[in-house]
Amino acid sequence: MAVNWPGLVSIGVFYIIVLGTGIWASRKSKREEKKCSGNRSEVAMVGGRNLNVCVSIFTMTATLVGGGYILGIAEMVYNPKKGLVWAVAPLAYSMSLIIGALFFVKPIRSKNYVTLMDPFQQKYGNKVFAVLFIPALIGDILWIACVLGALAGLHFFLKLLHQWLCVPFILASPFSANFTVAAVTKLHQEPWIGRLELEDACRWVEHILLI
C-alpha cells in the first residue's frame, strides 16, 4: 500500500500548528497569571477577569455554538413535521444571554464568583450545593459528548468547506432548481419554515425554558 505523502504532510503540519498554539497559549497564560491578582483557576476559567468585549463575545459564542447545536437546528429545519419555527435554540440562548447580562453579571462580578453555582454554595452550604451540582454535571457531560460526537462523526468544518466548494457546480448544473424560486414559492417554502399550532404553544415555550 502506497503512502499518501501529501495527506501525511498535511496531518503533520496540522498537529505542529496545534502543538505550537498550545505552547503559545501556555506561556501567555503564565504571563497573564502574574499580572492578575486572582489565582490560577480564575485565569483558566474567567481569563483573569481581564477579557475585552470582543473576546468575551467570541468566547460565549464558541461555548454555546457547537456541533450539537448546529446539527440539532439542521435536524429541526429538515424535519417536515417541525421546520424552522421549532429551532428554538438561537432564541433561547439569546434570551438567556440578555437576561444574564441585565440581571446577573453585575452582582456576580462584584462578589468575584467564578461559576454560576458559587452563589448557591455560599447561600445554602456545601450539602445543598452538592445536590444542585449533580444535574449540572450530568448536563455538561451529555453536552460535551454531543459536541464530540458531532465533531467525530462529521468533521463539521471540513464538511462546511466541501459543501461551499460544491455550490458553483450545483448552480451550473441543468438539473438544479432555481433557488430564488424555491425561496419564495409556497410549495417549497412552507415545509422548511414549519408551523406552530395553538395546541403546541405550551410545548414550544417549554422547549425554550429547558434550553
Side-chain angles (χ1 to χ4, degrees):
M1 178 171 149
V3 178
N4 187 342
W5 288 108
L8 186 63
V9 171
S10 62
I11 292 176
V13 171
F14 170 75
Y15 282 111
I16 290 174
I17 294 174
V18 172
L19 178 62
T21 303
I23 295 174
W24 171 79
S26 175
R27 292 179 177 176
K28 184 177 180 181
S29 177
K30 290 179 180 179
R31 291 195 301 268
E32 292 297 326
E33 186 179 354
K34 294 178 181 178
K35 298 178 184 178
C36 299
S37 58
N39 52 32
R40 173 174 278 187
S41 63
E42 289 189 352
V43 175
M45 289 189 281
V46 293
R49 307 184 189 279
N50 194 29
L51 298 178
N52 58 44
V53 175
C54 183
V55 174
S56 300
I57 292 174
F58 281 108
T59 300
M60 291 301 300
T61 303
T63 301
L64 296 175
V65 180
Y69 171 94
I70 295 172
L71 296 179
I73 293 176
E75 182 180 0
M76 286 293 101
V77 176
Y78 180 77
N79 189 339
K81 296 183 180 180
K82 297 294 183 180
L84 182 64
V85 71
W86 283 92
V88 297
L91 177 61
Y93 284 157
S94 300
M95 290 174 55
S96 67
L97 290 176
I98 292 173
I99 293 173
L102 292 177
F103 300 103
F104 296 104
V105 168
K106 189 173 182 179
I108 286 176
R109 288 182 65 88
S110 65
K111 296 185 178 180
N112 291 329
Y113 291 139
V114 177
T115 70
L116 293 176
M117 301 297 291
D118 290 351
F120 297 96
Q121 183 180 15
Q122 185 177 10
K123 184 174 181 62
Y124 300 108
N126 291 334
K127 293 182 179 179
V128 176
F129 168 76
V131 176
L132 295 175
F133 177 74
I134 294 175
L137 176 63
I138 295 175
D140 284 342
I141 291 175
L142 295 177
W143 176 252
I144 292 172
C146 176
V147 172
L148 293 178
L151 293 176
L154 298 173
H155 300 289
F156 180 77
F157 176 77
L158 295 178
K159 287 289 185 180
L160 180 64
L161 177 62
H162 295 163
Q163 288 171 356
W164 275 109
L165 290 176
C166 293
V167 168
F169 298 97
I170 295 175
L171 295 178
S173 174
F175 301 101
S176 61
N178 188 334
F179 68 92
T180 56
V181 175
V184 298
T185 304
K186 184 177 180 180
L187 176 65
H188 300 285
Q189 193 179 39
E190 189 172 358
W192 70 267
I193 292 180
R195 182 181 301 174
L196 181 61
E197 303 292 346
L198 182 60
E199 58 268 21
D200 296 327
C202 293
R203 186 176 163 199
W204 188 84
V205 173
E206 182 185 15
H207 284 185
I208 291 182
L209 296 178
L210 284 174
I211 294 176

